[in-house]
Amino acid sequence: MAPSGTVADPPPTSTTNSFNSGDTAENDIRPFFVLHKASSSGSNLNGKLTGTGKSKRRIESPSPKIAKRSEVESVEEEDGQFFSTLRFKVFETVWSKIEKTIEDVLRNSNSKVFSGIHDWIRESFESIISSGALKLSEAVRSYPVLTQASSKQLLTAMVLTRNLEMVDDLLTFEELELHLKSQGCHVAKLSSMDFSAKSGVGGCLRGLLRQFVMPTVDVADVTILASWYRENKNHENPVVIIVDDTERCCGPVLSDLILILSEWAVKVPIFLIMGVSTAHDAPRKILSVNALQRICATRFTLSSPAERMDAVLKAVFLKPCSGFTVSHKVALFMRSYFLCQDGTLTSFVRTLKIACLQHFSLEPLSIMLEHFCHDGVNQLSGEGTGLLTEATMKHAFDLPSVTRNKITRSTFEMLPHFLMDLQRMPNPWSIVVLCIYEAGKFDKLRLLDIFCEILDPEARYLKYFSPSEIVNSQSHNSGSNNVIRRVLCKLRDLSPSQLSSMLKSWENLTTEFSEINDKVMELHPFMRSVEAAGQRQGLPNSPKKHASRSHSKLEKELKAMTDKVATVIEFMLREYMKPVESVPFHEILCFKNVDKLQSALLGDPRGRIQLDLLESHNILHCVCCSQRGTTLLPSMHDTSILYTLAQEHADVINLHDWYQSFKTILIPKSSKAKQKSKSSSKSKKRKDICEEPEAPAEALIQARFCRAIMELQIAGLIRMPSKRRPDFVQRVAFGS
């Protein structure tokens, strides 16, 4: 395709040679290209392209029918632009709420660890200053005041993140920095890039001084830090240095920094926080022996990526958030992308954002999601449906979920009620999912796996198996992919304490939903019988005969209890396990197009290039090419013409035949007939010149042909001729 630099020249005399108007950027390959350049005058362009006076007269004096149709199309186009803008605004509202929810979840998941780190810093700082504050003259000496080995210990916090990639840890340590600063600590954060062998330890010291003292400091001197700390009441708070990715740092540089800071540990109470992703003892592999002897480490562990993923999933999809959700196939793809790519929460959030954006770009009714972002079901009133036009209302009642449930336009006034039911629906469904998740924790099931299976609209759990039969079956089937089956099989292996813990969590989850809570409360008498049988079995000095009877009674009580729990699970699945894809109008809030999401994430650049070359008229919307059908026109871009002609050949294309076909498109038949005709009047010649563009010269056609082939080669669609077959090129991409 043509570089954008070639279209900056003055307008050409004809549309056929507009591409070749400039020659200044012949070898300048840029990422932006122009497929077609229109003439500066609309009427002149139309006259050149059509070549007939009839079409020109039709533009000058349009018929009433055409004028009426153009007015209707302009109104529809304005409405389309209005609703596109409105959908984008609603998307920003919905995504901002989802993003804020995710940030709050991640902040809360690390809040306990952050509080523990701050408490450790405060306690250690108070123990250091209890020995007495140093004077300014003592603090800036080149040698330490104390010579004991304990005085050279640098208090260090080893924070285990358990992430494979650093991208998830960046936000974590930024939040830790803000948390410690809000508590009054002096905090500086260094990355692995600061510990390079090229800059050495001097670069680290300069980075610290620029963050603590002054941004313009260019001297690597620790005494500047010591004098700053003793001035302006800075000594009332501790100094904290965060190294977010210790394992990627240059070991000798980090060791030198630790040795320097440990010499000043008493004068300037410095606390070092080192982030590690694999194990707490990872610094042993990169630090020197002397540096390891100078650190006094305390271990802290953040929540695992799987735990953070479950927390985000629960807050976004199972708690009242934005109303947006995904289908079963999309959820499976998102899980596969999360596990097979980099396994980071950042990639999952990016996938979720792209899915949300795709939903708003494809579904006209997605503007209704704005009402789901507000608390309460009263937001879905008539004003929400008032924005819907006749076209969107027709689209709403043509949705597959609506036609499947036989809902007609006669129930139009019931649309707000359907939407309110759609908003209320996730509440009992989410409670059931969370109850199954609490039971699946004993089998180490993740919420993401349960969520993907529960979304399946084709799943018929109660038709495939009976819960009571699975609980009492001898085959465990632990390798089964069915999470419901695994949960039910695990029930018989639970101890009385585990069953009691599960019932307490179920009771807390179902507090606001009385139908399920009543069924859970009915299990407590059976649980008390199990606990009583267990206590009788554990009595000391009991005869063996009574002990065996107590054991058999405990087994009977446990079996009865597991059967009752399986019955409650059966009740929850039968009554409330209704996937969102089985609800009418679910397309309003549910994204289902997994192909669009996969294309946006993984991409298919070569296929996209082929499709754009073959259907350039659908992108440009120019007058000359929009109604061409399957006919190739000279006004089309040379590369598009050439690649369309290539579809008539196999994997090998003869250059001569290809050139002749290309030449036939550029030189219309009327131009050839005009060249053969020698006897015509001057007025007729002037008329022909005004109506038809002048046929390009042979050399110009060859130059355009060569340039189009070069662009196809750059795009990776053809392979240039070889020495063995110089008259043939080979196609290397087929289909779109």
Side-chain angles (χ1 to χ4, degrees):
M1 290 177 282
S4 59
T6 60
V7 299
D9 304 309
T13 57
S14 64
T15 57
T16 55
N17 60 1
S18 62
F19 171 78
N20 304 278
S21 58
D23 56 353
T24 58
E26 183 176 1
N27 297 322
D28 187 13
I29 303 173
R30 300 183 183 180
F32 299 100
F33 303 96
V34 176
L35 292 181
H36 179 76
K37 181 181 178 181
S39 177
S40 59
S41 175
S43 60
N44 188 24
L45 175 64
N46 187 69
K48 289 181 180 181
L49 294 175
T50 56
T52 59
K54 187 177 180 180
S55 61
K56 188 173 182 179
R57 287 194 299 272
R58 184 165 58 249
I59 293 177
E60 292 176 354
S61 57
S63 63
K65 292 183 179 180
I66 296 177
K68 184 178 180 180
R69 185 172 64 251
S70 62
E71 292 178 0
V72 173
E73 290 177 353
S74 63
V75 172
E76 291 180 353
E77 183 178 356
E78 291 178 359
D79 291 343
Q81 293 177 355
F82 169 75
F83 281 104
S84 297
T85 305
L86 182 60
R87 289 205 304 270
F88 183 73
K89 291 181 179 179
V90 176
F91 160 74
E92 291 180 338
T93 302
V94 171
W95 179 249
S96 62
K97 186 164 186 179
I98 294 176
E99 191 173 28
K100 185 179 182 301
T101 302
I102 294 175
E103 291 176 356
D104 294 340
V105 168
L106 296 179
R107 189 179 297 109
N108 294 333
S109 64
N110 297 322
S111 59
K112 292 183 179 179
V113 181
F114 289 174
S115 299
I117 294 175
H118 175 256
D119 294 340
W120 166 76
I121 291 175
R122 278 295 171 185
E123 293 176 1
S124 303
F125 179 69
E126 291 176 359
S127 63
I128 292 175
I129 64 175
S130 61
S131 59
L134 298 177
K135 297 180 181 180
L136 180 61
S137 59
E138 296 176 337
V140 296
R141 288 179 184 174
S142 301
Y143 299 98
V145 177
L146 301 178
T147 58
Q148 292 83 359
S150 60
S151 65
K152 297 182 180 181
Q153 291 288 318
L154 186 63
L155 298 178
T156 307
M158 296 292 180
V159 181
L160 179 62
T161 61
R162 295 185 285 182
N163 285 324
L164 297 178
E165 294 291 337
M166 186 59 196
V167 63
D168 280 353
D169 298 334
L170 296 177
L171 181 61
T172 301
F173 285 104
E174 287 178 2
E175 293 289 342
L176 177 59
E177 180 183 6
L178 294 176
H179 176 76
L180 295 178
K181 284 183 177 180
S182 65
Q183 301 298 327
C185 300
H186 306 293
V187 186
K189 189 164 72 71
L190 299 176
S191 65
S192 57
M193 301 297 295
D194 297 319
F195 293 90
S196 61
K198 182 178 180 180
S199 58
V201 70
C204 302
L205 292 175
R206 281 189 292 270
L208 293 176
L209 294 177
R210 288 168 184 170
Q211 296 185 55
F212 284 129
V213 183
M214 189 182 302
T216 59
V217 173
D218 199 23
V219 180
D221 192 353
V222 191
T223 58
I224 299 177
L225 179 63
S227 58
W228 164 84
Y229 183 71
R230 292 298 169 182
E231 295 175 354
N232 300 326
K233 297 183 179 180
N234 292 328
H235 62 277
E236 295 179 357
N237 293 302
V239 175
V240 181
I241 299 174
I242 300 176
V243 181
D244 53 15
D245 193 3
T246 305
E247 291 157 308
R248 293 188 180 182
C249 297
C250 179
V253 178
L254 181 58
S255 300
D256 293 341
L257 180 65
I258 291 175
L259 292 174
I260 293 174
L261 295 180
S262 63
E263 294 290 341
W264 296 78
V266 177
K267 307 169 187 179
V268 183
I270 297 176
F271 297 86
L272 184 62
I273 298 178
M274 303 174 67
V276 292
S277 58
T278 56
H280 286 108
D281 58 349
R284 293 181 179 273
K285 301 178 182 179
I286 62 174
L287 296 179
S288 63
V289 178
N290 293 333
L292 290 173
Q293 294 176 352
R294 297 291 184 92
I295 61 176
C296 179
T298 303
R299 299 181 179 182
F300 296 93
T301 303
L302 297 175
S303 56
S304 64
E307 293 172 350
R308 291 196 293 270
M309 170 64 73
D310 290 347
V312 169
L313 203 66
K314 184 189 299 184
V316 174
F317 293 114
L318 301 180
K319 297 289 185 180
C321 181
S322 63
F324 173 74
T325 187
V326 295
S327 66
H328 172 62
K329 292 182 179 179
V330 173
L332 289 177
F333 173 77
M334 292 176 67
R335 181 182 65 175
S336 175
Y337 185 81
F338 169 73
L339 297 176
C340 299
Q341 294 296 322
D342 53 3
T344 61
L345 188 60
T346 304
S347 65
F348 182 83
V349 175
R350 182 178 64 250
T351 306
L352 180 61
K353 183 175 183 179
I354 294 176
C356 186
L357 182 60
Q358 291 283 347
H359 176 68
F360 278 92
S361 63
L362 297 175
E363 179 53 55
L365 296 173
S366 57
I367 56 176
M368 304 298 295
L369 270 172
E370 183 179 12
H371 303 283
F372 287 82
C373 290
H374 304 287
D375 296 332
V377 296
N378 296 326
Q379 297 290 338
L380 291 169
S381 57
E383 63 182 19
T385 57
L387 292 174
L388 302 180
T389 61
E390 182 65 25
T392 54
M393 288 304 303
K394 183 179 182 302
H395 172 75
F397 285 91
D398 288 341
L399 293 173
S401 62
V402 177
T403 56
R404 185 171 57 247
N405 289 274
K406 299 180 180 180
I407 301 175
T408 61
R409 288 293 298 270
S410 60
T411 58
F412 166 71
E413 65 278 358
M414 298 295 293
L415 180 58
H417 299 283
F418 283 118
L419 297 179
M420 285 190 290
D421 293 339
L422 194 64
Q423 190 178 24
R424 294 191 189 100
M425 186 272 299
N427 188 29
W429 179 83
S430 302
I431 291 175
V432 175
V433 174
L434 292 176
C435 289
I436 295 176
Y437 173 56
E438 291 294 331
K441 285 182 178 180
F442 300 105
D443 200 19
K444 298 181 179 180
L445 285 175
R446 307 310 319 177
L447 182 59
L448 182 60
D449 299 329
I450 298 175
F451 178 74
C452 290
E453 182 166 330
I454 294 299
L455 283 176
D456 189 4
E458 303 297 330
R460 299 292 183 268
Y461 306 107
L462 302 180
K463 291 184 179 180
Y464 293 157
F465 57 84
S466 173
S468 58
E469 293 179 0
I470 292 178
V471 171
N472 299 323
S473 64
Q474 296 298 323
S475 61
H476 199 295
N477 291 331
S478 59
S480 176
N481 293 327
N482 194 316
V483 296
I484 305 298
R485 182 182 295 272
R486 289 178 58 182
V487 168
L488 294 173
C489 288
K490 189 64 178 179
L491 287 178
R492 64 180 183 181
D493 298 332
L494 298 182
S495 63
S497 60
Q498 291 175 331
L499 284 173
S500 178
S501 175
M502 185 184 70
L503 289 183
K504 289 180 181 178
S505 61
W506 282 12
E507 184 179 352
N508 295 330
L509 289 171
T510 59
T511 302
E512 299 179 357
F513 201 75
S514 58
E515 288 82 355
I516 302 179
N517 187 260
D518 294 340
K519 295 291 183 180
V520 175
M521 298 303 293
E522 293 176 0
L523 298 175
H524 284 285
F526 298 94
M527 191 68 238
R528 286 192 289 268
S529 300
V530 172
E531 292 175 350
Q535 291 176 357
R536 285 193 297 269
Q537 182 185 1
L539 291 177
N541 301 325
S542 58
K544 293 183 179 181
K545 186 176 182 180
H546 293 289
S548 60
R549 291 178 180 176
S550 300
H551 181 70
S552 60
K553 187 173 183 179
L554 177 61
E555 290 182 347
K556 292 180 180 179
E557 294 292 345
L558 276 176
K559 184 178 180 301
M561 181 64 188
T562 53
D563 290 341
K564 293 294 182 181
V565 173
T567 304
V568 173
I569 294 179
E570 180 181 359
F571 165 77
M572 291 190 293
L573 293 176
R574 183 180 65 250
E575 298 294 332
Y576 303 106
M577 190 47 62
K578 191 176 183 181
V580 66
E581 292 183 72
S582 61
V583 181
F585 297 101
H586 73 269
E587 290 89 350
I588 296 176
L589 51 84
C590 181
F591 177 68
K592 304 173 62 175
N593 199 328
V594 67
D595 295 331
K596 286 284 186 180
L597 180 61
Q598 184 175 0
S599 176
L601 284 172
L602 304 180
D604 186 14
R606 183 173 293 183
R608 184 73 259 176
I609 291 173
Q610 296 179 74
L611 189 62
D612 290 344
L613 288 174
L614 295 175
E615 301 180 1
S616 59
H617 58 281
N618 294 333
I619 302 174
L620 299 176
H621 301 290
C622 56
V623 180
C624 55
C625 303
S626 58
Q627 298 179 354
R628 67 176 180 86
T630 58
T631 305
L632 296 177
L633 299 177
S635 60
M636 294 176 59
H637 191 272
D638 295 342
T639 311
S640 182
I641 296 175
L642 207 59
Y643 190 70
T644 304
L645 293 173
Q647 307 306 306
E648 303 173 359
H649 299 266
D651 57 341
V652 178
I653 306 175
N654 185 286
L655 283 174
H656 178 74
D657 297 340
W658 204 12
Y659 172 74
Q660 292 299 328
S661 301
F662 179 72
K663 182 179 178 181
T664 304
I665 300 300
L666 295 187
I667 303 179
K669 295 180 180 179
S670 58
S671 299
K672 296 179 180 179
K674 187 182 68 173
Q675 292 175 1
K676 294 180 181 179
S677 177
K678 296 182 179 179
S679 58
S680 59
S681 62
K682 295 181 179 179
S683 60
K684 187 176 181 180
K685 289 183 179 180
R686 293 194 189 98
K687 186 177 179 181
D688 293 338
I689 293 173
C690 295
E691 292 179 352
E692 295 181 0
E694 184 181 356
E698 184 76 17
L700 185 60
I701 296 176
Q702 294 178 5
R704 293 169 63 176
F705 179 76
C706 294
R707 187 164 192 169
I709 287 183
M710 181 184 66
E711 291 176 356
L712 291 177
Q713 181 200 13
I714 294 173
L717 302 180
I718 63 171
R719 186 178 293 123
M720 296 301 283
S722 61
K723 293 182 179 180
R724 293 183 58 186
R725 307 183 70 180
D727 297 335
F728 292 88
V729 296
Q730 184 177 2
R731 295 174 60 188
V732 295
F734 298 89
S736 57

